Amino acid sequence: PSSRHSSSHSSQQNHHLSLGKLKSLSKVSEQLNEYEKLVVQNLTDELVETFLSWGTSSDSSNGGSGANNVDYRSAPRITLTSDKRAKIRGVVKALRVCGKLGGAGAAYQRKLCEVIS
């Protein structure tokens, strides 16, 4: 009888442990979704700024950190360093893999319209 009781008690503990793990996993999933949104937004912003500052002096001198002071109407330079080109490809690939490249294109279009008007 006591072994039956301890077996039942052990089974109940395992059940509670499983439920606890499931609750924890549901929160992790939520956090991962939020993290993905932040990463996608950061990559999108980076890509938009890269394209908007393409060929300007901030494009090569400080990695685009001065993109807020860019004269978007200046004549563009066509050349890119291989590092910059690789970085752009990496960002585009990452956005494509998670299915968010179209959203980055739409963000670029919106920003371009703001700059032009």
Side-chain angles (χ1 to χ4, degrees), residues 18-49:
S18 295
L19 287 177
K21 285 180 181 178
L22 284 176
K23 278 187 173 183
S24 295
L25 286 176
S26 71
K27 290 180 182 182
V28 167
S29 177
E30 221 174 271
Q31 291 170 337
L32 286 174
N33 286 337
E34 285 302 311
Y35 180 72
E36 180 185 14
K37 287 178 190 175
L38 288 172
V39 170
V40 165
Q41 186 60 54
N42 287 341
L43 290 174
T44 297
D45 293 347
E46 182 179 348
L47 195 61
V48 167
E49 288 302 319

Side-chain angles (χ1 to χ4, degrees), residues 20-87:
K21 285 180 181 178
L22 284 176
K23 278 187 173 183
S24 295
L25 286 176
S26 71
K27 290 180 182 182
V28 167
S29 177
E30 221 174 271
Q31 291 170 337
L32 286 174
N33 286 337
E34 285 302 311
Y35 180 72
E36 180 185 14
K37 287 178 190 175
L38 288 172
V39 170
V40 165
Q41 186 60 54
N42 287 341
L43 290 174
T44 297
D45 293 347
E46 182 179 348
L47 195 61
V48 167
E49 288 302 319
T50 297
F51 285 137
L52 287 176
S53 65
W54 193 294
T56 63
S57 59
S58 71
D59 179 40
S60 60
S61 63
N62 60 12
S65 64
N68 293 334
N69 301 323
V70 171
D71 178 8
Y72 297 116
R73 292 178 176 93
S74 66
R77 290 184 343 272
I78 303 301
T79 60
L80 281 178
T81 65
S82 59
D83 288 346
K84 186 77 167 176
R85 203 174 309 130
K87 185 169 183 168

